[in-house]
Amino acid sequence: MVFLGPGLTYLIVLLLIPLALVLSYTLFRRGRFGGVVYEATGENFTRLFDPLYLDVILGSLRLATIATVIALLVGYPTAYLIAMLPRKWKTVALVAIVLPFWTNFLVRIYAWIVLLSGPGLVNSTLGELGLGPFEFLYNQGTIVTGLVYSYLPLMVLPLYAAIEKLDPQLREASANLGARPARTFVSVTLPLTLPGVVTGCLFVFVPSFGNFIIPELLGGGRSIMVGNLIRDQFLKARDWPFGSTLALALIAVLVVLLLLQAWSARRA
């Protein structure tokens, strides 16, 4: 029990108490000059369905889903190729995958701004070819690009782990029975690696859905995601009750996704 003390203290102080405060604030209303007035109300929950805020939430879901799908389409072949490499090259490839995580997140995002800006490397190169300049920054496509770049390793690693555990004899047996490579992939490889697919999608979708740095920097604040909305409610509008309600809605979505992931893992 003594050894559980530090961990339990960490969870209570940094997770349970803040979560309890967020939950309690949803039941009260904003003061005239901000903050919290401790008068019970359900207005915060009805405001979630205001078209203005609902559009932000649905837009965040859409961008996070697009980023997750692209990460899956890029990450699955990458993980498969790494799993097929000779053992001595697997370590090199895996280090290359996680290498961006060794650099500060903000530095990596600012690097994209340098690359995609008007006088940046991409437009300069295209200009020498007689093309452009193009407006690459401050749109939803750039936000999706930043999300995929930032969280692609979180897709590749669980997929690699799932593919690496596959018994090669299963694919060989499928080929011996006359199945083409595409049929073997659909009937053998994909179903057996589905837990890795679900885990990778969860690892990408969750941080993408709540991200506010990438929309702010690469989107230029033109496309607001739910993370930006929560930040603005706390720091600009000083509407802590509604900001807490938005945060609680975000947590509820993530809990549902975690339950679905646990259910799919049990099914597998």
Side-chain angles (χ1 to χ4, degrees):
M1 190 65 182
V2 175
F3 296 105
L4 293 176
L8 289 175
T9 303
Y10 179 89
L11 289 175
I12 292 172
V13 174
L14 298 180
L15 178 63
L16 295 182
I17 293 178
L19 187 59
L21 289 173
V22 167
L23 181 60
S24 64
Y25 284 163
T26 62
L27 304 176
F28 304 117
R29 66 178 182 86
R30 177 183 183 272
R32 183 176 180 182
F33 301 105
V36 181
V37 174
Y38 295 97
E39 297 177 1
T41 179
E43 179 185 357
N44 297 310
F45 293 97
T46 59
R47 287 177 64 190
L48 282 176
F49 300 96
D50 185 292
L52 176 64
Y53 302 119
L54 193 60
D55 184 61
V56 173
I57 295 173
L58 294 177
S60 300
L61 284 170
R62 180 172 58 83
L63 290 177
T65 301
I66 293 173
T68 302
V69 171
I70 295 176
L72 177 61
L73 295 177
V74 175
Y76 201 107
T78 303
Y80 191 90
L81 290 174
I82 294 175
M84 297 299 108
L85 288 174
R87 182 171 297 275
K88 67 178 181 178
W89 291 108
K90 287 182 182 179
T91 303
V92 176
L94 290 173
V95 169
I97 290 294
V98 301
L99 191 62
F101 283 153
W102 298 357
T103 307
N104 183 274
F105 183 78
L106 282 176
V107 172
R108 287 186 281 138
I109 299 304
Y110 274 112
W112 276 98
I113 296 177
V114 173
L115 287 173
L116 300 178
S117 63
L121 178 63
V122 175
N123 267 318
S124 298
T125 304
L126 292 175
E128 294 179 358
L129 299 175
L131 303 173
F134 298 101
E135 185 61 47
F136 290 115
L137 286 174
Y138 311 135
N139 55 66
Q140 293 188 351
T142 311
I143 294 174
V144 172
T145 301
L147 293 173
V148 173
Y149 163 76
S150 299
Y151 302 122
L152 182 60
L154 300 180
M155 177 69 75
V156 173
L157 294 178
L159 286 173
Y160 166 78
I163 296 171
E164 179 70 11
K165 291 190 298 184
L166 280 179
D167 187 351
Q169 293 182 351
L170 295 175
R171 292 193 293 268
E172 293 176 5
S174 177
N176 291 337
L177 292 172
R180 295 180 180 274
R183 180 63 183 275
T184 298
F185 174 78
V186 172
S187 302
V188 178
T189 305
L190 184 58
L192 293 177
T193 57
L194 197 56
V197 172
V198 174
T199 302
C201 289
L202 190 66
F203 283 176
V204 174
F205 182 87
V206 168
S208 297
F209 184 46
N211 193 285
F212 67 91
I213 295 176
I214 292 175
E216 186 72 24
L217 296 180
L218 296 184
R222 298 179 183 176
S223 297
I224 299 177
M225 295 182 68
V226 66
N228 304 91
L229 185 59
I230 294 173
R231 180 206 59 187
D232 290 345
Q233 293 301 315
F234 276 100
L235 301 181
K236 294 182 179 180
R238 299 192 71 239
D239 192 346
W240 292 9
F242 186 56
S244 298
T245 306
L246 288 168
L248 186 63
L250 179 61
I251 293 171
V253 171
L254 302 184
V255 168
V256 170
L257 292 175
L258 289 172
L259 292 175
L260 290 175
Q261 191 270 342
W263 175 79
S264 66
R266 286 198 302 270
R267 287 290 301 272

